Amino acid sequence: MSAAPGRPRQTRATVRSAQHGGTPVIPPALQAHGVSATLGGIEVLHGLDLTLPAGRWTCIVGPNGAGKSTLLRVLAGLLPHTGEVFLLGQPLVALSGRQRAQQLAWLGQNEGSADDLSAWDVAMLGRLPHQSWLAAPSAADHAAVEQALRATQAWDWRDRPLSQLSGGERQRVLLARALAVQAQVLLMDEPLANLDPPHQADWLQMVRGQVAAGKTVVSVLHEISLALHADELVILSKGRLAWQGACSDAATHGALEQVFDHRIAIHPLAGQWVALPR
């Protein structure tokens, strides 16, 4: 399967030079150029080039072992790699840990936190990039945490320790922690783990709210029918970009069916697209 056409490389310098007549050019949210990554001595990503637009929801999909989580961790700066990664037009390696944490929020798979911490305290951890060393949380921090806990419907048990919460409730608290950062870019790896269908629907609504507010969301999902609600799909196969395109495009549907060996088929249903087994 051939990959989607490459997009022009854009760095901080080219963004500056493209500003004419007082109209700024918005850089992509994330870019990868020639990115390779190795896990356990095995190369998982192979010279991957990718551009993810700002202000949109992009979902990364593909078969097991395609390199989806590895790619997301590379984009977050959490894994060693070769090649270059840019965040909002700036080289990721040029940003301090604090700068990166302010601009990019992360929710990983099976993440934990101290079980004796309350839901409120866990969500408040998302505000650490904005706080001075040993400083008490500000009014803005409290407001951000309340907003995040309400958005994930975790507000009613904000004082309960994580040890008293179900798997789905814990996941919503960890999501609140990511939202509390109020970063421009939000990366989520399998964020629907332990969430029942109603709360999966709530998650979709939350993502749409983030995008409507001008934020960028990038997620890895195994739930293909839910992934098709995104603006754009990035389809990986064996550590390489197999396709990138709009979720509504027939070519994207064909690429998706092909990468799963035609064991699924994409169908329209009630104004949406769903993936069904053949």
Side-chain angles (χ1 to χ4, degrees):
M1 184 187 307
S2 62
R7 302 185 183 184
R9 175 170 172 170
Q10 189 173 33
T11 65
R12 179 172 51 180
T14 58
V15 169
R16 268 200 312 266
S17 65
Q19 294 180 358
H20 299 292
T23 302
V25 175
I26 299 175
L30 288 159
Q31 289 179 291
H33 298 299
V35 165
S36 297
T38 300
L39 295 177
I42 298 174
E43 189 173 37
V44 179
L45 299 179
H46 310 283
L48 193 143
D49 291 313
L50 185 67
T51 298
L52 301 181
R56 293 171 67 79
W57 172 25
T58 300
C59 197
I60 302 172
V61 298
N64 291 338
K68 303 181 296 295
S69 295
T70 300
L71 172 60
L72 203 68
R73 292 178 67 84
V74 166
L75 294 176
L78 299 176
L79 277 182
H81 61 275
T82 59
E84 298 176 292
V85 175
F86 292 85
L87 171 63
L88 298 171
Q90 297 180 299
L92 198 61
V93 295
L95 299 175
S96 68
R98 182 182 179 88
Q99 289 173 320
R100 185 186 307 173
Q102 289 175 344
Q103 297 181 47
L104 187 150
W106 167 262
L107 175 62
Q109 285 190 50
N110 304 315
E111 285 200 352
S113 193
D115 281 350
D116 58 341
L117 288 180
S118 69
W120 173 272
D121 290 334
V122 171
M124 185 60 75
L125 293 175
R127 298 302 300 169
L128 288 178
H130 302 282
Q131 297 171 357
S132 301
W133 179 248
L134 297 179
S138 66
D141 294 329
H142 283 274
V145 169
E146 178 175 349
Q147 181 181 21
L149 287 170
R150 290 189 182 278
T152 59
Q153 299 181 29
W155 176 253
D156 288 345
W157 16 274
R158 59 192 178 278
D159 296 325
R160 290 169 57 189
L162 257 61
S163 60
Q164 296 180 11
L165 302 181
S166 69
E169 290 170 338
R170 290 171 66 103
Q171 185 71 0
R172 285 149 62 189
V173 171
L174 294 173
L175 176 57
R177 183 190 66 190
L179 292 179
V181 181
Q182 297 183 330
Q184 279 298 115
V185 180
L186 174 58
L187 304 185
M188 295 183 281
D189 191 6
E190 294 297 338
L192 301 182
N194 300 312
L195 296 185
D196 56 24
H199 287 107
Q200 290 181 359
D202 292 338
W203 180 86
L204 287 174
Q205 184 177 7
M206 179 277 298
V207 168
R208 279 294 166 210
Q210 291 288 301
V211 172
K215 305 294 181 66
T216 302
V217 177
V218 184
S219 60
V220 167
L221 292 181
H222 280 296
E223 300 84 354
I224 301 301
S225 292
L226 292 175
L228 285 164
H229 286 262
D231 297 311
E232 191 166 82
L233 287 187
V234 164
I235 303 174
L236 295 187
S237 177
K238 298 178 181 179
R240 293 181 170 87
L241 178 64
W243 186 265
Q244 181 176 1
C247 291
S248 57
D249 285 356
T252 301
H253 300 167
L256 193 56
E257 293 173 352
Q258 185 172 339
V259 81
F260 284 103
D261 297 325
H262 296 285
R263 299 181 67 180
I264 64 170
I266 311 303
H267 298 279
L269 178 64
Q272 304 176 38
W273 295 103
V274 296
L276 299 175
R278 288 188 181 273

